[in-house]
Amino acid sequence: MAGKHEHSRHADTTAFTDYGEGEVAGGVNDVFGEEEHHQIKYKTLSWPLVSILMIAEIVSNGMLSLPSSLATIGLVPGLVVIIFLGIFATYTSWLLVKFKLRHPQVHNMGDAGHILAGRVGKEVLGAGTVIFAVFATGGQLLAGQIALSSLSGERLCPVLGAVVFAVPTLVGSFPRTLERLGWLSVPSVVCIAVAGIVGMVGAGLEPEEGRRVRVVESPSFYTAFSSVTNPVFAYAGHFMFFILMSEMKTPTDAMKAAYTLQTFATTYYAIFAAITYIYIGSTVTSPSFSSLPSTYQKAAYAIAIPNFLIAGCLYAHTAAKLVFVRLFRGTKHMHSHTYLGWTTWMLLVVVMNVLAFVLAVGVPVFNYLIGLAASLFAAWYTYGIAGCFWLHDVYHDHGGVRGWKARSFQAALAVATFFAGGFVCVAGLYVNIRGIIEAYQSGEVSRPFSC
């Protein structure tokens, strides 16, 4: 028995240290198991399709807040923050991929939390993933509503615009597997890329007269960090990494997708933010398309709508998928066309979309609540908790604290990652709570469901 245990331990260590070799995430521990004879097959994604899904999800309405960040802290510091966060997000992506390959049974952040902190970790991180995904869906509904309002010349009632946008988002969330949404994400990525180009061209052809562009600004901490949260949360898609990897044919290819995502996102964010800010100046709003001349504003929003739609579908699908796997993992309802399985799936999709819609149009301070949710959860999912994953696996696979000491630089980086996530979380909560208080004091808050 001892020899068998040592062999198993050695196999686990090999999996941790040699991720690029062979099929680490296969076999009985895989969340979806062997699917050869199943009616519904989940593990169908290639790494290029995962790249497209990630870009469609992350490079969306979040990029439209970046030019206003440069207007607040200045051109150079703004670009430094965008590029640094892109590199940082690539590093934390690598940590998440390593952890998933080491623990193929992990399907979502809740499963990862169970490994780190037992039942409490499972419930907190699992609930946080669902909450953040629902809020993110609501954020895409708001983006769609703003786009439709712009196209109507601001004559369309916002609630009606949200309803119009919510219906196709709901329909698009129904596919059981991510592969179906993956192919829809291809035109989504093209649309957001072209929309950004149209926005930059519009800003360049009709620049704001008398605009002010500063290399460096000197804002207060509150104003600066309120602005910095825009690029921080523009990279906040890591909470989906485990779910996406679980549906890959070859999970060991996941870093190819992550490198593709971060290279595209960081490059595109920097170019879009800089050009838009340079030609519009300090008066650029968030979302930045609303600062464009009317013709270009409508064109950019119209082209971007499919991306807002697919991103909303992905977030709602993610929220429903996490609960569905929690309910039916290891049962026939996961892989077979059963009445209970399909009824539950459709009900979960409807519930997640309805919650997102009610929050988006029924909560007057929803924009701030998105920031609160992002501070509470996305700050950890994208940055802080990744360091904990590395520390956990090295501790258990390489002799405890001795393993950390033998890898002192990586250990220090992992600890720094944890504290960075904590700082973003606390500071983000501060600026969003203060923003809510000031919104109420200034009378900015409107009535729920009002036009």
Side-chain angles (χ1 to χ4, degrees):
M1 289 294 291
K4 182 177 180 181
H5 178 77
E6 289 174 5
H7 175 76
S8 174
R9 186 66 170 177
H10 176 72
D12 284 349
T13 303
T14 302
F16 180 74
T17 54
D18 297 319
Y19 283 114
E21 304 297 328
E23 286 289 334
V24 177
V28 294
N29 289 328
D30 191 339
V31 61
F32 293 119
E34 297 298 330
E35 296 189 315
E36 183 179 355
H37 302 294
H38 289 154
Q39 293 175 326
I40 301 173
K41 296 179 174 61
Y42 294 92
K43 296 185 292 187
T44 55
L45 294 175
S46 63
W47 75 260
L49 201 54
V50 171
S51 302
I52 295 296
L53 279 162
M54 288 179 171
I55 293 171
E57 172 227 345
I58 293 176
V59 184
S60 187
N61 60 354
M63 79 173 193
L64 302 183
S65 64
L66 298 180
S68 66
S69 296
L70 269 61
T72 301
I73 62 178
L75 179 63
V76 172
L79 290 177
V80 168
V81 168
I82 290 172
I83 294 170
F84 170 76
L85 289 174
I87 296 171
F88 193 14
T90 304
Y91 168 66
T92 55
S93 299
W94 179 70
L95 294 178
L96 293 180
V97 169
K98 288 174 73 69
F99 187 79
K100 165 63 177 174
L101 294 176
R102 173 65 178 79
H103 304 278
Q105 73 273 24
V106 168
H107 173 258
N108 53 67
M109 283 289 178
D111 293 336
H114 188 264
I115 292 173
L116 291 183
R119 183 64 180 268
V120 173
K122 181 182 184 69
E123 300 302 340
V124 171
L125 295 189
T129 301
V130 175
I131 292 169
F132 183 68
V134 170
F135 274 66
T137 306
Q140 296 298 333
L141 294 182
L142 278 183
Q145 174 247 302
I146 292 170
L148 293 175
S149 294
S150 172
L151 293 173
S152 70
E154 308 302 329
R155 292 188 296 271
L156 180 66
C157 169
V159 175
L160 180 58
V163 171
V164 170
F165 198 78
V167 173
T169 301
L170 170 63
V171 174
S173 308
F174 278 121
R176 284 269 288 271
T177 65
L178 282 166
E179 183 185 27
R180 302 286 181 88
L181 287 174
W183 292 112
L184 290 176
S185 296
V186 175
S188 169
V189 170
V190 173
C191 286
I192 196 63
V194 173
I197 293 170
V198 169
M200 290 185 282
V201 169
L205 291 179
E206 297 187 28
E208 190 76 19
E209 293 185 9
R211 64 191 180 279
R212 190 190 74 175
V213 177
R214 295 283 182 87
V215 174
V216 180
E217 293 280 6
S218 301
S220 65
F221 171 81
Y222 168 69
T223 304
F225 198 82
S226 295
S227 177
V228 168
T229 55
N230 293 331
V232 166
F233 299 135
Y235 289 101
H238 286 43
F239 74 102
M240 283 186 64
F241 270 30
F242 293 150
I243 294 173
L244 287 165
M245 285 185 66
S246 295
E247 298 194 29
M248 288 184 69
K249 290 182 287 189
T250 310
T252 48
D253 285 341
M255 272 315 298
K256 297 177 183 177
Y259 287 137
T260 302
L261 161 69
Q262 302 300 355
T263 300
F264 178 86
T266 304
T267 303
Y268 196 74
Y269 284 167
I271 293 172
F272 175 79
I275 291 178
T276 304
Y277 170 57
I278 287 170
Y279 285 106
I280 296 179
S282 59
T283 59
V284 64
T285 60
S286 177
S288 61
F289 285 167
S290 295
S291 297
L292 296 172
S294 179
T295 300
Y296 292 102
Q297 178 185 145
K298 292 180 178 180
Y301 272 132
I303 296 169
I305 282 177
N307 175 265
F308 300 157
L309 173 62
I310 298 303
C313 294
L314 282 169
Y315 289 131
H317 176 100
T318 297
K321 179 67 71 65
L322 190 149
V323 178
F324 186 80
V325 171
R326 176 79 179 265
L327 291 174
F328 294 123
R329 187 171 187 165
T331 72
K332 65 179 182 179
H333 305 294
M334 281 293 300
H335 291 93
S336 300
H337 295 296
T338 64
Y339 176 79
L340 179 60
W342 273 109
T343 301
T344 304
W345 172 253
M346 290 188 287
L347 179 62
L348 286 171
V349 169
V350 170
V351 167
M352 299 307 173
N353 277 277
V354 169
L355 285 174
F357 174 80
V358 171
L359 285 167
V361 302
V363 179
V365 291
F366 180 66
N367 275 327
Y368 295 103
L369 292 185
I370 293 177
L372 285 176
S375 300
L376 278 170
F377 302 115
W380 291 109
Y381 295 160
T382 304
Y383 302 106
I385 203 168
C388 296
F389 293 153
W390 185 91
L391 291 169
H392 173 276
D393 278 356
V394 169
Y395 183 89
H396 287 282
D397 287 342
H398 297 285
V401 176
R402 287 179 300 173
W404 295 346
K405 290 180 178 179
R407 298 159 182 79
S408 56
F409 175 76
Q410 285 183 282
L413 197 55
V415 172
T417 298
F418 175 80
F419 282 108
F423 173 76
V424 172
C425 174
V426 173
L429 289 174
Y430 165 72
V431 300
N432 280 285
I433 291 172
R434 178 171 167 179
I436 292 173
I437 294 171
E438 291 180 353
Y440 273 104
Q441 291 175 341
S442 66
E444 175 189 334
V445 180
S446 61
R447 291 182 302 162
F449 300 100
S450 63
C451 285

